Amino acid sequence: MTTTDTADLMDYDEVMARFDPVLGLEVHVELHTNTKMFCGCPTAFGAEPNTQVCPTCLGLPGSLPVVNGKGVESAIRIGLALNCEIAQWCRFARKNYFYPDQPKNFQTSQYDEPIAFNGHLDVVLEDGEVFRVEIERAHMEEDTGKSLHVGGATGRIHGADYSLLDYNRAGVPLIEIVTKPVVGAGERAPEIAKAYVGALRDLLRALDVSDVRMDQGSLRCDANVSLMPKGASVFGTRTETKNVNSLRSVERAVRYEMRRHAAILVDGGEIIQETRHFDEATGTTSAGRRKETAEDYRYFPEPDLVPVAPSREWVEQLRTTLPELPWERRKRVQQEWNLSDLELRDLVSAGALDLIASTVDAGAPADEARSWWVSYLAQQANSRGVELDALPITPAQLARVIALIAEGALTNKLARQVVDGVLAGEGEPDEVVAARGLKVVSDDSALIAAVDEALAAQPDVAEKIRGGKVQAAGAVVGAVMKATKGQADAKRVRELVLERCQ
Ligand SMILES: [Zn+2]
């Protein structure tokens, strides 16, 4: 253990008075291709350990890799969406290191010839300010297996009795996206780090290349932080906080490291170049391993794979498949729905905006889509303790419910029951309507019978209506609605009451 574990922290304002931060963000995204990057094994998350493996991803002698075309296509689309140049010709490289979760003793990655390079991502901060993050590269590689350390208190290897290995994840396609050094962020560095990872997540989701689940590790962020004295231009020594697994933690980890570095530096101490682990519970980081330099990995070109040389026609064809980017969509819907900046920000921070937009794209009017997501569905998400987008209902399903209301087939009350059914896993809206018998009673003969019955039950009210007191009809309408368990169209019932009393 190093002395950096007993950390003093400097007050954040004082950090900013003395230092300028430099960030470097490395994001690993697991692609949701059906098969692994260099073999035909499936990639589904959560399968029994070591059931999704073959000689190639286990690194057995004589097995040969074949590159996954869908993986290359996704890498190019990500590169294009990040405004990168796409290599005319590039190769895979072997990154050599021994670790039990890496059965080949090397990771097939890319080194000096990445598929995409020199891009940028414009990140919109909470107050609307835009900060441009320059992208150094996006390259293809494969994931490692997973070690499970048993017996220790922390789940880490230290103190464990033994370790188990699961190679299901070994060989799953990964894209690593690396920023250029982020300078000039100043006091907003932690916020910019969070906003960048959030924008990248939204972008990757819109591209439909990954599940982007930080909690399941399909999107992981390594945050490099260093400080230099105010006005200096030579970067300080950096630390790399590994595998930060939520947006909030990215912000906290960067802020913590800035405060920790500053306290060491003003004390005349030295920052050790190392990896750090972020502890969600305490909000602190602790030392990992000393950081290897690039030559320790003895990279060399992978001899078993042919170079990747995407034709310009293919690249341009892929460019046409790029979806509307999340921030463009936000700008468009803000105008179309006539939202103030504050309203827009509220919808974005509630995670509702993209869901509403998708519901509108599926044919629903904007007002109704918005009202469902921010009220009834927000309540449901709240009571389940999940994010809005984790609710088991899709924008298309909600749009169908809204269409059924517009057709008069559902009342609002019935529609909520249909949504409840979808959330409970009872199927598509139409299936729930059929299974629960929730259709509005619009058959006039059934309604007339119910109206006549209600009039007969309240002869004095019927007499008033016949005498011209149409406002008395409300009581009869109420009785019919009650008798039909809310499944009648109230407007039609009222018309029938008045007709029957003429
Ligand atoms: Zn395999």
Side-chain angles (χ1 to χ4, degrees):
M1 284 292 141
T2 63
T3 53
T4 53
D5 277 80
T6 50
D8 290 325
L9 300 180
M10 184 184 280
D11 180 72
Y12 194 73
D13 289 338
E14 199 187 337
V15 177
M16 291 322 306
R18 291 168 175 262
F19 296 101
D20 284 323
V22 179
L23 302 177
L25 298 163
E26 297 171 18
V27 169
H28 285 90
V29 57
E30 255 181 22
L31 299 179
H32 64 196
T33 50
N34 294 325
T35 56
K36 293 186 180 180
M37 194 65 193
F38 304 111
C39 64
C41 291
T43 55
F45 181 81
E48 280 290 301
N50 298 309
T51 55
Q52 299 175 344
V53 293
C54 74
T56 300
C57 55
L58 288 176
L60 300 187
S63 61
L64 284 172
V66 176
V67 74
N68 181 332
K70 188 77 185 170
V72 176
E73 178 186 301
S74 299
I76 295 174
R77 292 177 73 236
I78 292 169
L80 291 171
L82 290 170
N83 306 289
C84 288
E85 296 171 48
I86 305 301
Q88 306 263 2
W89 190 91
C90 65
R91 282 183 296 190
F92 288 97
R94 291 189 179 184
K95 182 181 183 179
N96 295 280
Y97 66 97
F98 172 79
Y99 204 74
D101 65 12
Q102 179 63 274
K104 297 189 296 188
N105 281 350
F106 63 84
Q107 180 187 31
T108 307
S109 181
Q110 293 195 288
Y111 181 46
D112 50 354
E113 298 165 345
I115 186 138
F117 49 93
N118 275 347
H120 64 261
L121 180 60
D122 286 330
V123 176
V124 184
L125 303 178
E126 282 215 354
D127 62 0
E129 196 185 307
V130 177
F131 188 93
R132 174 162 292 189
V133 175
E134 305 281 348
I135 306 292
E136 163 115 9
R137 57 193 278 148
H139 71 247
M140 300 178 281
E141 59 184 34
E142 58 180 337
D143 214 340
T144 58
K146 247 184 196 164
S147 313
L148 182 66
H149 304 298
V150 184
T154 58
R156 304 248 301 265
I157 195 163
H158 300 287
D161 296 327
Y162 59 94
S163 298
L164 297 169
L165 287 158
D166 175 7
Y167 290 117
N168 282 352
R169 203 180 64 179
V172 167
L174 280 184
I175 304 296
E176 180 174 349
I177 300 159
V178 183
T179 66
K180 292 181 183 172
V182 179
V183 292
E187 64 177 351
R188 303 192 79 169
E191 183 192 347
I192 286 169
K194 176 187 173 193
Y196 166 76
V197 178
L200 198 52
R201 183 190 64 176
D202 293 349
L203 174 67
L204 295 164
R205 184 185 286 140
L207 287 167
D208 194 20
V209 291
S210 168
D211 300 336
V212 291
R213 291 282 299 269
M214 291 188 86
D215 56 332
Q216 290 183 358
S218 57
L219 184 75
R220 318 196 278 271
C221 174
D222 301 338
N224 289 273
V225 174
S226 66
L227 294 181
M228 52 187 179
K230 272 242 172 292
S233 57
V234 178
F235 295 169
T237 304
R238 66 190 157 86
T239 53
E240 180 181 5
T241 305
K242 302 288 284 181
N243 294 335
V244 187
N245 66 1
S246 75
L247 293 181
R248 185 165 165 262
S249 295
V250 171
E251 181 168 21
R252 292 168 79 206
V254 168
R255 186 181 300 271
Y256 181 86
E257 280 296 282
M258 287 170 64
R259 296 179 61 198
R260 191 182 66 85
H261 283 209
I264 293 170
L265 291 171
V266 294
D267 225 23
E270 214 176 302
I271 304 297
I272 298 163
Q273 186 169 335
E274 63 189 356
T275 62
R276 309 275 305 174
H277 297 283
F278 181 69
D279 183 334
E280 298 267 344
T282 59
T284 63
T285 67
S286 58
R289 60 184 157 84
R290 295 286 178 104
K291 185 68 180 169
E292 296 88 348
T293 54
E295 49 265 48
D296 288 336
Y297 289 122
R298 291 183 300 138
Y299 280 98
F300 64 85
E302 165 60 61
D304 287 344
L305 287 165
V306 294
V308 175
S311 73
R312 295 302 96 178
E313 292 74 27
W314 189 34
V315 171
E316 288 316 306
Q317 190 264 321
L318 290 177
R319 196 189 297 278
T320 65
T321 69
L322 296 184
E324 183 180 32
L325 299 175
W327 41 94
E328 290 170 353
R329 175 190 240 191
R330 276 170 208 171
K331 217 179 290 172
R332 176 175 62 80
V333 298
Q334 182 178 18
Q335 280 172 355
E336 285 177 8
W337 306 349
N338 208 7
L339 299 175
S340 70
D341 287 348
L342 187 67
E343 287 171 318
L344 179 73
R345 222 159 40 235
D346 284 348
L347 291 180
V348 171
S349 63
L353 190 106
D354 291 329
L355 293 166
I356 298 168
S358 298
T359 310
V360 173
D361 289 347
D367 284 353
E368 278 158 56
R370 188 174 154 194
S371 147
W372 275 95
W373 284 111
V374 302
S375 56
Y376 190 68
L377 288 168
Q379 288 161 21
Q380 302 306 309
N382 214 11
S383 67
R384 291 164 181 236
V386 298
E387 298 289 321
L388 207 47
D389 64 4
L391 281 177
I393 183 167
T394 63
Q397 288 170 329
L398 179 61
R400 176 63 187 149
V401 173
I402 293 170
L404 288 170
I405 301 171
E407 286 167 16
L410 290 177
T411 60
N412 280 319
K413 190 174 160 213
L414 290 173
R416 281 196 287 275
Q417 294 178 41
V418 175
V419 166
D420 290 344
V422 174
L423 291 174
E426 292 168 26
E428 294 296 316
D430 289 287
E431 292 166 347
V432 177
V433 168
R436 291 196 180 192
L438 294 174
K439 242 185 165 46
V440 165
V441 178
S442 55
D443 168 12
D444 272 3
S445 63
L447 283 183
I448 287 167
V451 166
D452 286 349
E453 205 171 298
L455 286 169
Q458 303 182 71
D460 47 331
V461 179
E463 203 49 49
K464 279 185 192 163
I465 303 170
R466 287 193 188 99
K469 289 201 165 171
V470 290
Q471 63 271 36
V476 182
V477 174
V480 173
M481 293 307 288
K482 200 171 167 195
T484 56
K485 299 195 175 72
Q487 284 174 246
D489 173 3
K491 194 163 148 250
R492 182 66 191 140
V493 173
R494 188 180 167 82
E495 286 166 5
L496 288 172
V497 171
L498 297 179
E499 265 173 39
R500 304 296 283 175
C501 291
Q502 271 171 2

